[in-house]
Amino acid sequence: MSSEITRLLQEHHRGDREAFDRVVPLVFDRLRAIARGQLARGGGRGATMDTGVLVQETYLQLADEQGVDWNDRGHFFAICARAMRRILVDHARMRHAAKRGGGLQAVTLTADIAAVDDRLELVTGVDRAVDELAAFNPRLAQVVECRFFAGMSEEETAIALDSSLRTVQRDWMRARAWLLKALG
């Protein structure tokens, strides 16, 4: 099945829009798992986006991206994780902006609302930290996207990034240490 996914992704790159539509059923379960992981780390209870919506938004963003030269299914999932990250960050920013006014009616602050607000801050904070990391070490940021955001194993990350397993292990350790320090 992995070779079928890669073949369809390459056809999509060459301009066959329908090839991407044939990929989706083959990867849907994995995309849902990635989305669940993303939401668990950033959304949690009280989030207004669910797994299905996140997968659909990702599909809509990537279906028109015919210029992407998909290397293989690992590369595809890494790009999906990046797209999901951007969708969630944009969603968190919109919710945060709406919370600050945005024409909405004021509500009484409760523990649940404060917890949701903390998660919104975490999502945008991690996003900023990964962007800062990418500015001076793009490979470490890619490892974070694969491991943290896509939920890939070390082996899957090595394949997706065309790197050795040991390099990914070292990079993951360095990236986690840097992010912990950056996030305080």
Side-chain angles (χ1 to χ4, degrees), residues 4 23 26 31 35 45 49 58 65-66 74 76 80 90 100 107 109 119-120 126 134 136 157 179 181:
E4 174 71 3
V23 166
L26 300 175
L31 289 177
R45 192 178 55 150
M49 183 174 289
T58 303
E65 294 291 331
Q66 291 183 338
F76 170 76
C80 286
D90 289 346
R100 296 285 181 234
V107 296
L109 184 62
R119 286 188 293 270
L120 293 175
V126 170
F136 76 87
T157 301
L179 287 172
K181 183 177 178 185

Side-chain angles (χ1 to χ4, degrees), residues 4-181:
E4 174 71 3
I5 293 168
T6 301
R7 183 185 63 75
L8 289 169
L9 290 170
Q10 290 168 347
E11 287 178 19
H12 179 256
H13 174 67
R14 290 190 294 271
D16 183 357
R17 161 103 186 187
E18 294 172 6
F20 193 81
D21 292 336
R22 292 191 305 270
V23 166
V24 174
L26 300 175
V27 300
F28 187 76
D29 289 340
R30 178 70 173 146
L31 289 177
R32 284 181 52 83
I34 292 169
R36 267 192 305 276
Q38 294 259 16
L39 289 169
R41 280 185 285 282
R45 192 178 55 150
T48 60
M49 183 174 289
D50 66 17
T51 303
V53 171
L54 183 54
V55 171
Q56 289 170 359
E57 289 291 324
T58 303
Y59 166 80
L60 292 173
Q61 275 195 9
L62 297 179
D64 292 330
E65 294 291 331
Q66 291 183 338
V68 177
D69 189 8
W70 311 100
N71 297 334
D72 55 27
R73 74 186 275 282
H75 184 233
F76 170 76
F77 288 126
I79 290 175
C80 286
R82 181 175 293 162
M84 286 182 189
R85 172 184 161 213
R86 291 288 169 218
I87 291 165
L88 286 174
V89 168
D90 289 346
H91 181 72
R93 286 183 178 142
M94 283 187 343
R95 285 189 64 200
H96 191 72
K99 176 187 68 99
R100 296 285 181 234
L104 299 177
Q105 181 179 13
V107 296
T108 304
L109 184 62
T110 66
D112 287 345
I113 291 173
V116 168
D117 190 41
D118 289 345
R119 286 188 293 270
L120 293 175
E121 295 293 331
L122 177 64
V123 168
T124 56
V126 170
D127 180 61
R128 279 191 303 273
V130 172
D131 285 345
E132 289 173 21
L133 180 60
F136 76 87
N137 196 324
R139 190 178 75 217
L140 291 183
Q142 289 174 327
V143 170
V144 172
E145 287 175 341
C146 289
R147 296 282 292 136
F148 182 77
F149 291 106
M152 292 180 170
S153 69
E154 291 174 338
E155 293 82 9
E156 291 170 322
T157 301
I159 292 167
L161 300 180
D162 194 26
S163 187
S164 73
L165 175 60
R166 184 65 189 128
T167 297
V168 166
Q169 290 169 336
R170 280 191 306 266
D171 287 347
W172 179 231
M173 189 170 53
R174 288 178 59 207
R176 283 186 309 187
W178 191 92
L179 287 172
L180 285 173
K181 183 177 178 185

